[in-house]
Amino acid sequence: MLSQISIFLLDTLLGLFSLALLLRFYVQWFRVPYYHPVSRFLVAVTDFIVRPSRRLIPSWRGLDLSTFVLAWLTQFIMLLSASYLQDYGAESSIIGFALVALIELFRLTLYILVIMIIAQAILSWINPHSPLAPVLESFTQPILGVFRRYIPPIANIDLSPLFAIILLQILLMVVANMQRTVALAFQ
């Protein structure tokens, strides 16, 4: 029972921290204004580790790689710790954990997109001029823009979020299968 509690706490704390790091990476990539409350929160939560890591891991083409590597490292530590607490540590490969952590970041990214598309759709009905609307638009525009080019609004209703969520759900199924395959291959 103690190991279950430890795994739960590790998953929760490191999972939320990894999510904050990944969101910070995307906020900087999509150029969300620095003084937006979401940006300020993510910087405040993660700056203690991101700032020193930038000395070791440089940016590349405007992407803050140190933040992404820290998110991956947090996932890696979380997977390794959970495996150790469940006594699977000796059987698994470090390379396997590294790949599964990278796949987990991709899965987390897909979930972020699904949640943001749903939030954007709800906000467009309730309060389209919300301060959160530009942040959600900057995150979802790359995927929704593709669907908006080919699927016109029907009676002023934009169906692109529906098709984007269907595509993201299919990708989540593919990622889950890939994660299982990698985990089994490196056990």
Side-chain angles (χ1 to χ4, degrees):
M1 183 166 113
L2 186 60
S3 67
Q4 288 176 329
I5 293 170
S6 301
I7 291 170
F8 169 74
L9 290 175
L10 271 172
D11 281 349
T12 302
L13 297 176
L14 290 179
L16 288 173
F17 188 65
S18 177
L19 176 66
L21 287 166
L22 193 60
L23 282 172
R24 180 175 175 163
F25 172 75
Y26 288 126
V27 160
Q28 290 175 342
W29 186 14
F30 293 128
R31 309 268 189 258
V32 174
Y34 182 75
Y35 290 103
H36 193 278
V38 173
S39 299
R40 299 294 299 158
F41 172 76
L42 293 172
V43 167
V45 169
T46 60
D47 213 32
F48 75 95
I49 196 164
V50 170
R51 196 170 287 234
S53 72
R54 284 186 178 152
R55 292 185 202 125
L56 301 173
I57 306 165
S59 295
W60 179 72
R61 294 188 181 201
L63 295 177
D64 186 15
L65 290 183
S66 63
T67 307
F68 185 80
V69 169
L70 285 171
W72 170 80
L73 190 61
T74 306
Q75 285 292 326
F76 178 75
I77 291 169
M78 188 170 67
L79 289 169
L80 200 61
S81 301
S83 177
Y84 176 74
L85 288 171
Q86 293 175 345
D87 294 330
Y88 297 139
E91 302 170 2
S92 300
S93 165
I94 297 296
I95 296 170
F97 282 120
L99 287 173
V100 170
L102 192 62
I103 294 169
E104 187 65 26
L105 282 182
F106 185 64
R107 187 181 70 84
L108 198 55
T109 298
L110 293 174
Y111 276 121
I112 289 169
L113 280 171
V114 167
I115 290 169
M116 288 192 170
I117 288 171
I118 291 170
Q120 184 180 11
I122 292 171
L123 269 180
S124 72
W125 300 330
I126 297 172
N127 185 7
H129 304 292
S130 167
L132 195 55
V135 174
L136 294 174
E137 180 67 26
S138 67
F139 270 87
T140 60
Q141 179 54 36
I143 191 167
L144 291 180
V146 172
F147 288 102
R148 286 179 180 150
R149 269 186 259 151
Y150 299 108
I151 304 168
I154 299 173
N156 287 334
I157 295 179
D158 184 14
L159 295 177
S160 61
L162 175 67
F163 290 102
I165 289 175
I166 290 171
L167 174 68
L168 291 171
Q169 287 295 330
I170 291 169
L171 287 174
L172 280 167
M173 289 178 208
V174 170
V175 166
N177 187 32
M178 190 174 13
Q179 194 171 15
R180 270 192 304 274
T181 303
V182 169
L184 288 174
F186 286 99
Q187 252 185 350

